Amino acid sequence: MQSSLVPPTADRRPTTSEHHGHQRTDDYEWLRDKDAPEVLAHLEAENAYTRERTAHLADLRQSIFDEIKARTRETDLSVPTRSRGYWYYGRSFEGKEYGASCRVPVSDPDDWTPPRPAEDTRPDEPALPGEEVLLDLDALAEGHEFFSLGGSSVSPDTTLLAYATDVVGDERYTIEVKDLASGTLLPDRITGALGGAVWDRAGESFYYTTVDDSWRADKIWRHRLGTTQDEDELVHHETDGRFWVGVGRSRTDRFLVVASGSKNTSEYRFLDADHPEAGWQVFAERREGLEYSLEHAVLAGEDVFLVLHNHAGPDFELGVAPVRPTPAEQWRPLLAHDPAVRLEDVDAFAGHLVVHQRSEGLTQLRILELDEEGVAEDYLVDFDQEVYTVGAAGNPEFTQPVVRLGYTSMAVPSSVYDYDVASRELTLLRRTPVLGGFAPADYEEHRLWARAEDGTKIPISIVAKRGSREDVGGGTGPVPVLLYGYGAYETSIDPYFSIARLSLLDRGAAFAIAHVRGGGEMGRHWYDDGKLMRKQNTFSDFAACARHLIATGWTTPDRLVAEGGSAGGLLMGAVANQAPELFAGIVADVPFVDALTTMLDASLPLTVPEYDEWGNPEADPAVYEYLASYAPYDNVAAIDYPPILAETSLHDTRVLYVEPAKWIARLRATAVGRRDFLLRTEMAAGHGGVSGRYKAWHDRAFALAWILDRMGLADRPSGVRP
């Protein structure tokens, strides 16, 4: 839709810097001062312009929101998870944003079947007999524009609850402790924490993490109940700027573990609750390039550490070591390195081990049954679908005989199963209800393979409504497609279900995920081939996937829309510069588009820890030149770009709002042709966007309406039944 409105114009205030003999001029760096009235005024002007430019989509946005709401069971209950004599679960309520955390006592210690609520349970009554409300999240959120629960942890004796909240969006949490018997808060209060708390075995102290000025998790603290925060003990301070720290407790309760890790190197410390006099010990000192993790297990009656590591090969091996400091050369293989299988994680239980792995781009769960001699059986939990995602979830008890797992595909809603290891029976406990006449059989999903410029096969997962590709002659024709991509940090974007996505599919569009290099879908080499000096592969892979969808008749350039967020937003900015002719529109969510500026400034959040991902352009001329060759902001050109919607949040601490703000300003000043660029800034949110499910639905409805408009489907009804 053409508009006579004039977009906001940011003043050009050039600043020039020189690096390795290259001069670089930036006209819009002044937008970085988010406290400056003129910057806030500019962002508000951009928001006003975006509202006006998308006013014609207001009815469609409301329709999409109504569809999401109509398909969602608003008053609902999660599958209860058993821990320390209680079943824990979450509740949601119609008309409320956040819901509640609850528990009920276990009535039969020998029965691991989770209790089920009555179908006609009302929001104002207990879902299960003996229900205890641990946290009323809507009450905690009252009076705040933003609210996030960073984590909650019940003490080992089940009498106290430590929980963390953020009411700004900057991911700096406040930890408080609730007495579950009286419902009152203890005086203990921790501010500035990253995430939640980890209790010690005695329940007399808890551990937490804080960040430095660049938002790097660098310190682990111990807080003793009944003391003030300024009395807390500093357990570990990580001084290497490339490393992050975290703290956890083993499923057996015996060990506390502090992990230090960069993008390619690990170091673990442990504290043995059976021998606290030994203090914190380093398990294996850091070596550049050596990654490992620890899991306490009991094999053949012996306490051991399971060590998942890359010492034997890039796709990791599962080794065994004694529960004492042990160098990598002494780790005994339990599952040897296999270049066809990427081992990702391991969970240890009294009677079995659960290995999370992937092969040929698909996730797998592997069970190792144990007996008195060690591993007795080794097998996969099988699923029949062509494209799916599976993973263990919610398994806190070391002695539990079942494995709780989650399963989904692009057509099958998130499903929760219990797998009985002894009988090898898989029991479906819950499939997320989708109202309005939804049936998985009405949708088709496929795994496609594109060919990259260097000949590498790139997997694509795609889903569409059955019959949407049929033309009047009975054959198949092109349909609008939303192509999503990420491609960084070895993060795999595995197939997943989305209720909101049905508003696209039911209007005749398809949704596809391009599993590009830089992610982890095909193993460690997939990641290595899409980072540092091989980052260009990520961008060319995405373009190859788009060309494959066009060449094979799935879609056409005038109906293909691209979307990505954060590091995937960098991908969006790069393909906008390199292959604008392939897309009818691009959505860039919290996009990392000013990568060169960020990586040149070590004082900015996350820059130093990111050197192993992007390189250090300040120190290395070759890295500078390579990053400058693809950084979206630096490569904006006088070309005709497709329409672009950039979305960001003012309080984002990971990708600062200034990156898309500068990008849109430079696009408007430089591009030719349509010059259709929108910037939308949430003024009270962080990296994850707005908080609260209804706000999130409205937020997603905004983007989906814009996408449908770019596809030419804005006037097509969805067909959802209320």
Side-chain angles (χ1 to χ4, degrees):
M1 177 179 178
Q2 295 298 314
S3 173
S4 59
L5 294 170
V6 178
T9 301
D11 291 342
R12 289 188 169 185
R13 303 177 188 176
T15 58
T16 301
S17 58
E18 184 170 327
H19 305 274
H20 311 296
H22 300 277
Q23 280 205 338
R24 184 168 179 259
T25 299
D26 191 338
D27 292 330
Y28 304 107
E29 181 63 14
W30 64 272
L31 290 169
R32 188 173 299 276
D33 184 2
K34 76 174 184 179
D35 296 322
E38 60 181 347
V39 172
L40 294 174
H42 177 76
L43 297 178
E44 293 287 10
E46 289 280 13
N47 283 345
Y49 176 71
T50 297
R51 284 193 298 271
E52 290 296 324
R53 283 294 314 277
T54 59
H56 65 292
L57 299 174
D59 290 344
L60 178 57
R61 289 197 294 268
Q62 186 61 48
S63 294
I64 294 171
F65 173 84
D66 292 342
E67 291 161 16
I68 297 171
K69 191 170 183 289
R71 290 184 172 111
T72 302
R73 182 179 291 173
E74 296 180 73
T75 299
D76 208 353
L77 179 88
S78 68
V79 178
T81 296
R82 180 170 161 174
S83 178
R84 302 180 189 275
Y86 286 90
W87 291 102
Y88 292 86
Y89 54 94
R91 295 189 67 182
S92 60
F93 307 99
E94 183 176 356
K96 293 190 175 183
E97 294 277 10
Y98 301 101
S101 300
C102 308
R103 71 179 181 183
V104 296
V106 171
S107 57
D108 182 355
D110 297 323
D111 186 1
W112 283 82
T113 304
R116 293 176 178 269
E119 288 293 329
D120 57 350
T121 300
R122 299 197 313 268
D124 60 347
E125 63 184 13
L128 296 168
E131 179 175 274
E132 177 185 359
V133 177
L134 305 181
L135 288 176
D136 180 341
L137 302 181
D138 287 280
L140 292 173
E142 190 171 349
H144 302 290
E145 286 189 63
F146 179 91
F147 174 81
S148 173
L149 181 69
S152 61
S153 178
V154 176
S155 62
D157 67 0
T158 72
T159 64
L160 300 174
L161 175 70
Y163 66 95
T165 58
D166 169 19
V167 295
V168 176
D170 61 0
E171 298 183 75
R172 288 171 170 83
Y173 291 84
T174 298
I175 299 174
E176 297 185 275
V177 181
K178 182 178 181 180
D179 184 320
L180 295 177
S182 66
T184 59
L185 293 178
L186 274 59
D188 305 74
R189 192 170 190 268
I190 307 298
T191 60
L194 180 65
V198 175
W199 291 96
D200 66 4
R201 186 166 69 177
E204 298 170 350
S205 304
F206 61 77
Y207 295 79
Y208 63 94
T209 307
T210 59
V211 298
D212 62 13
D213 291 338
S214 64
W215 201 78
R216 177 181 65 93
D218 71 326
K219 294 185 180 73
I220 302 295
W221 302 83
R222 180 189 183 191
H223 174 78
R224 292 174 175 83
L225 293 179
T227 65
T228 60
Q229 185 173 359
D230 58 11
E231 299 175 83
D232 288 353
E233 174 192 354
L234 179 62
V235 172
H236 178 62
H237 180 201
E238 179 54 66
T239 58
D240 189 325
R242 298 181 306 134
F243 282 71
W244 283 50
V245 295
V247 61
R249 191 177 75 239
S250 67
R251 188 176 282 103
T252 61
D253 281 343
R254 179 174 166 181
F255 293 96
L256 285 162
V257 177
V258 168
S260 296
S262 70
K263 300 295 182 185
N264 63 6
T265 305
S266 309
E267 184 177 74
Y268 277 66
R269 289 167 169 76
F270 64 90
L271 179 66
D272 188 345
D274 286 354
H275 302 285
E277 70 282 355
W280 288 90
Q281 302 177 73
V282 175
F283 174 70
E285 292 187 358
R286 66 186 66 177
R287 303 182 198 174
E288 188 68 22
L290 175 62
E291 300 173 62
Y292 70 89
S293 62
L294 295 183
E295 174 81 352
H296 178 221
V298 180
L299 300 183
E302 179 186 2
D303 285 284
V304 299
F305 281 136
L306 299 178
V307 189
L308 191 67
H309 65 89
N310 67 348
H311 183 62
D315 286 299
F316 285 68
E317 177 173 284
L318 184 60
V320 179
V323 289
R324 61 175 182 266
T326 309
E329 290 75 17
Q330 297 178 25
W331 301 341
R332 296 180 289 108
L334 184 66
L335 294 178
H337 177 263
D338 180 350
V341 179
R342 170 68 161 95
L343 302 182
E344 295 189 321
D345 202 359
V346 61
D347 296 317
F349 302 90
H352 56 276
L353 310 178
V354 179
V355 178
H356 306 244
Q357 62 183 46
R358 61 175 60 244
S359 182
E360 290 296 314
L362 289 178
T363 53
Q364 299 174 333
L365 275 188
R366 183 173 181 175
I367 307 295
L368 278 63
E369 293 188 29
L370 306 177
D371 62 15
E372 63 277 2
E373 296 181 0
V375 176
E377 300 280 351
D378 180 356
Y379 57 88
L380 296 176
V381 181
D382 290 325
F383 296 92
D384 296 329
Q385 286 190 253
E386 178 185 6
V387 179
Y388 64 87
T389 301
V390 65
N395 295 286
E397 291 277 313
F398 182 66
T399 59
Q400 65 185 67
V402 297
V403 178
R404 176 69 55 81
L405 62 89
Y407 175 91
T408 190
S409 77
M410 299 174 83
V412 177
S414 297
S415 307
V416 178
Y417 289 85
D418 267 354
Y419 179 77
D420 189 298
V421 177
S423 66
R424 300 192 183 182
E425 291 182 356
L426 197 59
T427 301
L428 177 63
L429 301 176
R430 184 180 193 269
R431 179 159 289 156
T432 299
V434 182
L435 311 180
F438 169 82
D442 291 341
Y443 302 83
E444 57 177 306
E445 48 188 336
H446 303 285
R447 173 59 57 89
L448 311 176
W449 296 88
R451 187 73 68 175
E453 292 178 355
D454 62 3
T456 302
K457 292 174 65 178
I458 313 299
I460 304 170
S461 300
I462 192 165
V463 63
K465 190 81 176 280
R466 289 194 188 277
S468 62
R469 298 183 68 204
E470 294 179 3
D471 59 26
V472 292
T476 58
V479 296
V481 172
L482 175 60
L483 181 62
Y484 185 87
Y486 188 75
Y489 306 113
E490 203 178 1
T491 297
S492 299
I493 308 299
D494 294 309
Y496 65 97
F497 183 84
S498 164
I499 285 180
R501 186 195 301 147
L502 296 176
S503 292
L504 283 180
L505 304 184
D506 286 2
R507 286 177 170 84
F511 174 81
I513 303 170
H515 302 288
V516 297
R517 282 175 284 186
E521 288 89 340
M522 301 294 287
R524 173 51 68 91
H525 77 281
W526 207 246
Y527 172 48
D528 290 338
D529 284 346
K531 69 171 185 174
L532 295 172
M533 303 298 278
R534 285 175 276 185
K535 189 62 197 172
Q536 178 58 37
N537 285 334
T538 304
F539 317 136
S540 59
D541 284 359
F542 191 85
C545 290
R547 292 188 177 97
H548 180 82
L549 293 173
I550 295 166
T552 55
W554 268 96
T555 193
T556 54
D558 62 329
R559 288 186 282 183
L560 177 59
V561 176
E563 183 177 23
S566 195
L570 181 149
L571 169 59
M572 294 300 102
V575 298
N577 289 331
Q578 297 177 18
E581 73 283 356
L582 295 177
F583 305 103
I586 293 176
V587 178
D589 188 31
V590 291
F592 181 42
V593 283
D594 192 14
L596 185 55
T597 298
T598 296
M599 297 310 299
L600 282 168
D601 189 346
S603 70
L604 291 177
L606 305 185
T607 292
V608 174
E610 299 286 285
Y611 286 159
D612 293 324
E613 183 78 21
W614 313 100
N616 183 351
E618 190 173 21
D620 190 331
V623 171
Y624 178 93
E625 292 180 10
Y626 187 70
L627 218 167
S629 73
Y630 70 75
Y633 180 65
D634 289 82
N635 287 277
V636 169
I639 59 175
D640 184 15
Y641 287 88
I644 292 174
L645 170 63
E647 298 183 299
T648 188
S649 298
L650 184 64
H651 300 298
D652 192 337
T653 53
R654 303 192 191 198
V655 179
L656 302 184
Y657 75 91
V658 68
E659 298 205 20
K662 290 169 57 177
W663 182 49
I664 292 298
R666 179 169 279 185
L667 282 166
R668 288 221 186 95
T670 309
V672 298
R674 290 164 288 182
R675 301 174 69 246
D676 186 356
F677 310 119
L678 300 179
L679 174 66
R680 182 169 177 256
T681 304
E682 287 292 344
M683 305 302 283
H687 191 67
V690 296
S691 67
R693 58 176 177 168
Y694 295 107
K695 295 176 185 176
W697 295 349
H698 277 296
D699 205 46
R700 188 56 183 158
F702 185 95
L704 288 176
W706 187 89
I707 290 166
L708 286 166
D709 198 30
R710 302 282 72 74
M711 292 176 166
L713 296 177
D715 296 326
R716 184 174 296 187
S718 169
V720 63
R721 297 199 298 269

